[in-house]
C-alpha cells in the first residue's frame, strides 16, 4: 500500500474519492449550511459542521479523533490481533468490527496520517524504522459505558505478555501480573495500510477487508494498523507473544468505540 491516494482508487469507497478530489483533508465546503446534514452519493459519507460520518465510523473535525464501533469478542487467551472483522479472527482478537477496513484506512488518510507499509521478508528492518515514522504513528483508546459513566482505557492495557498466568491479578492491584505487562510505550501503533491485490476478474481488492486483520500485534502485512514493537509467536510456548489482560477487558458482547488519534513521537528504546 502506498501513501498516494490515487493508487487506491480501484478499491476505496466513492466517499473517499470525493473527499480526496476536493483537495482538503477534512472538507469544510461540503458541510451542511442551514439544511441539516450534507450527504455524498450512495450514502457513503455524511458531512456536518462538526463530523464526517461513515457507516460505523465518525471523524471529529475539530479534534481529528476517529471513533469506530466494535464489540468485545474475547476476554481471555492468546492474541495475534486486537481488532478483526466479523467472521475472521474472533478467537484471537479482543474486538470485532463490522466496519470495512478500507473505511478505517480512508479515515486515517483524512486526518493526515500516512501509511508506512510492512514489506514481506524485511520485517526486522521495518521494526527498527517504523516507530520513527512520525506521520504514521497513532494512539488507540477504548471507550465503553458502565451505567451512566463512560470508561476510557488505552488499548495496550488490554493485552499482556503470554506468560501462562491464567488469573487477572496476583496481588489485587490494577493491571494484572506486573511481570506480564509489555515493556515500552503504550502507543506504539503504526498505520501500515494493508495492501491491494488483483482479483481474477481484474478488480483490485483491499486485502484487510477479506482477510479481516484490522489491527495486528503479531506481524501481518495485511493489517491496516500494526503494533510497532516486535513480538514473538504466541503459539510457540510460554513467554512468547501476547495474551488478553483479563482485568482490563470489558465483558464479552460489550459495545465499545475504538478511538484512533495521531501520536506525538516518543523516545526510541
Amino acid at each position: 500500500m502506498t501513501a498516494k491516494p490515487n493508487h487506491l482508487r480501484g478499491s476505496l469507497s466513492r466517499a473517499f474519492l470525493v473527499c480526496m478530489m476536493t483537495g482538503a483533508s477534512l472538507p469544510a465546503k461540503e458541510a451542511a449550511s442551514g439544511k441539516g446534514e450534507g450527504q455524498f452519493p450512495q450514502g457513503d459519507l455524511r458531512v456536518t459542521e462538526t463530523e464526517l460520518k461513515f457507516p460505523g465510523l465518525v471523524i471529529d473535525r475539530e479534534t481529528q479523533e476517529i471513533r469506530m464501533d466494535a464489540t468485545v469478542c474475547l476476554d481471555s487467551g492468546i492474541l495475534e490481533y486486537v481488532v478483526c472483522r466479523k467472521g475472521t479472527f474472533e478467537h484471537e482478537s479482543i474486538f470485532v468490527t463490522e466496519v470495512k477496513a478500507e473505511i478505517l484506512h480512508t479515515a486515517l488518510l483524512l486526518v493526515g496520517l500516512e501509511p508506512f507499509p510492512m514489506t514481506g521478508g524485511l520485517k526486522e528492518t521495518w521494526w527498527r524504522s517504523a516507530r520513527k515514522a512520525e506521520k504514521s504513528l497513532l494512539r488507540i483508546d477504548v471507550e465503553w459505558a458502565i451505567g451512566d459513566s463512560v470508561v476510557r482505557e488505552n488499548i495496550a492495557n488490554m493485552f499482556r505478555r503470554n506468560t501462562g498466568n491464567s488469573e487477572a491479578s496476583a496481588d489485587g492491584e490494577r493491571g494484572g501480573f506486573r511481570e506480564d505487562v509489555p515493556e515500552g510505550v503504550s502507543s506504539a501503533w503504526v498505520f501500515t495500510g494493508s495492501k491491494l491485490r488483483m482479483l481474477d476478474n481484474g478488480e483490485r481488492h483491499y486485502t484487510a477487508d477479506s482477510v479481516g486483520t484490522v489491527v495486528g500485534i503479531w506481524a501481518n502485512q495485511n493489517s491496516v494498523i500494526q503494533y510497532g514493537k516486535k513480538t514473538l509467536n504466541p503459539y510457540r510456548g510460554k513467554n512468547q507473544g501476547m495474551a488478553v489482560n483479563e482485568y482490563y477487558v470489558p465483558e464479552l458482547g460489550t459495545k465499545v468505540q475504538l478511538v484512533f488519534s495521531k501520536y506525538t513521537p516518543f523516545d526510541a528504546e
Side-chain angles (χ1 to χ4, degrees), residues 12 68 79 99 127 130-131 137 200 223 258:
L12 296 183
M68 186 173 78
L79 293 174
V99 176
W127 272 308
R131 290 170 61 187
L137 302 178
D200 292 339
S223 299
L258 304 178

Side-chain angles (χ1 to χ4, degrees), residues 107-179:
L108 294 170
L109 290 174
L110 289 174
V111 300
L113 287 162
E114 297 179 1
F116 191 85
M118 178 175 283
T119 306
L122 298 175
K123 292 185 177 67
E124 292 294 335
T125 301
W126 184 86
W127 272 308
R128 288 196 297 269
S129 55
R131 290 170 61 187
K132 299 177 183 178
E134 297 183 10
K135 295 182 179 179
S136 305
L137 302 178
L138 63 149
R139 173 187 176 96
I140 309 175
D141 294 296
V142 185
E143 286 190 356
W144 70 99
I146 299 180
D148 295 329
S149 301
V150 175
V151 178
R152 181 164 176 154
E153 291 285 358
N154 190 293
I155 201 169
N157 290 336
M158 296 184 173
F159 59 89
R160 57 184 175 84
R161 293 184 182 280
N162 180 34
T163 57
N165 293 321
S166 59
E167 299 178 5
S169 177
D171 53 17
E173 291 190 6
R174 189 171 177 79
F177 290 90
R178 290 193 183 95
E179 66 270 22

Side-chain angles (χ1 to χ4, degrees), residues 9-21:
R9 291 183 182 177
S11 174
L12 296 183
S13 67
R14 178 182 296 272
F16 167 71
L17 299 183
V18 173
C19 287
M20 296 309 291
M21 287 190 288

Side-chain angles (χ1 to χ4, degrees), residues 200-212:
D200 292 339
N201 62 6
E203 294 182 359
R204 288 187 295 175
H205 183 75
Y206 190 63
T207 308
D209 276 325
S210 56
V211 176

